[in-house]
Amino acid sequence: MSDEINWDRIRDLAQRVLEHSETLELSEDTRALLIKSAREVAISEQDAEDALRSLPTATTLLKEIRHRIGEGSRRLSRARNRAYELRDAGDLDGARQLMHDVLAVEVVPLYREQAETLLDQFTGLANVFATGRLNPDLPDRPQLAALSQRVQQGHALELTDDLRALLRQTAPTAAIGEAETEESLKSPDGAEALMGMILSRFRDAQSRFLRSMYRMTSLRDSGDIEGARQQMRDVLAVEIVPRYREAAEEQLRGLDSPPPES
């Protein structure tokens, strides 16, 4: 469903009509857009058709469509961010409850689909935590985090072929070389240490990058472009995790690009 939905046109129409006081022209194209968008936010075609019989009710329909898009997006974003925090802290039950809370009130199919996907993911991670068995359909690092939390709860780490394969696949993304990885995989203790290193490198890299992004944005917006560039240079001076090096390099290229002509 998400591949089929693009709300740019309805957002633009809502902004022009509801914020800039343009008259809503009920052309065939606009009617089709409103009916399509209404369906995408769980307003029936009959209700949409009824609303299009007059300009005031059509405007109310547009307002409700925009409200459902915006409110649902904000609700899901808040819940997802908090759920990730709970997941990373090992509280998968809390993460799942947040998705249940979203699903209890959300009507927009796209947002329900995304919440259900996250709920399935958190449920799968809870099973990894409970059993120690990996799931090929789940993302790599969250599974490593679930296994790490399981070990911290006193469970022995079982060095299976699946876990070896996952660590071999994930280690390079944390800038850990093949020789170090293979040495670590000779014992469960070594694998546990490798798992911890992967997770800590990503955790530290993310924290460092987000702090620098905040400072960079503040400096850029105040007109201190050189100071903003230095924030990204400082990241690159110490960062080894490829994903965050690439992100810092991309930000630096953006700052070095000439501003668009007005």
Side-chain angles (χ1 to χ4, degrees), residues 219-236:
L219 290 166
R220 181 199 63 196
D221 292 349
S222 69
D224 185 359
I225 301 300
E226 184 55 33
R229 290 191 186 105
Q230 190 58 48
Q231 290 298 318
M232 292 299 104
R233 294 189 190 112
D234 290 346
V235 170
L236 290 169

Side-chain angles (χ1 to χ4, degrees), residues 36-110:
K36 175 178 179 292
S37 300
R39 182 171 60 251
E40 291 169 346
V41 298
I43 297 172
S44 72
E45 186 168 343
Q46 183 60 59
D47 287 345
E49 291 280 7
D50 290 345
L52 291 175
R53 291 176 180 171
S54 73
L55 187 57
T57 54
T59 303
T60 299
L61 173 64
L62 176 61
K63 187 181 299 183
E64 178 62 19
I65 291 170
R66 184 173 75 161
H67 171 74
R68 292 192 184 191
I69 292 171
E71 180 63 21
S73 176
R74 289 186 292 272
R75 180 189 298 114
L76 180 61
S77 180
R78 289 192 302 267
R80 179 173 52 221
N81 291 341
R82 178 57 181 152
Y84 284 156
E85 292 175 356
L86 292 173
R87 177 201 66 186
D88 293 345
D91 185 2
L92 290 167
D93 286 341
R96 284 188 290 177
Q97 185 57 52
L98 285 171
M99 293 303 106
H100 282 301
D101 292 345
V102 169
L103 290 167
V105 296
E106 186 55 68
V107 297
V108 176
L110 175 63

Side-chain angles (χ1 to χ4, degrees), residues 151-197:
V151 169
Q152 292 169 19
Q153 293 293 318
H155 297 278
L157 181 66
E158 186 178 354
L159 190 48
T160 63
D161 289 343
D162 285 346
L163 179 55
R164 284 190 173 92
L166 180 60
L167 288 168
R168 287 187 177 110
Q169 176 177 306
T170 311
T173 69
I176 299 171
E178 182 179 354
E180 185 176 2
T181 298
E182 292 304 322
E183 183 65 27
S184 298
L185 292 177
K186 291 179 178 178
S187 70
D189 286 346
E192 182 182 336
L194 176 62
M195 190 162 57
M197 184 184 299

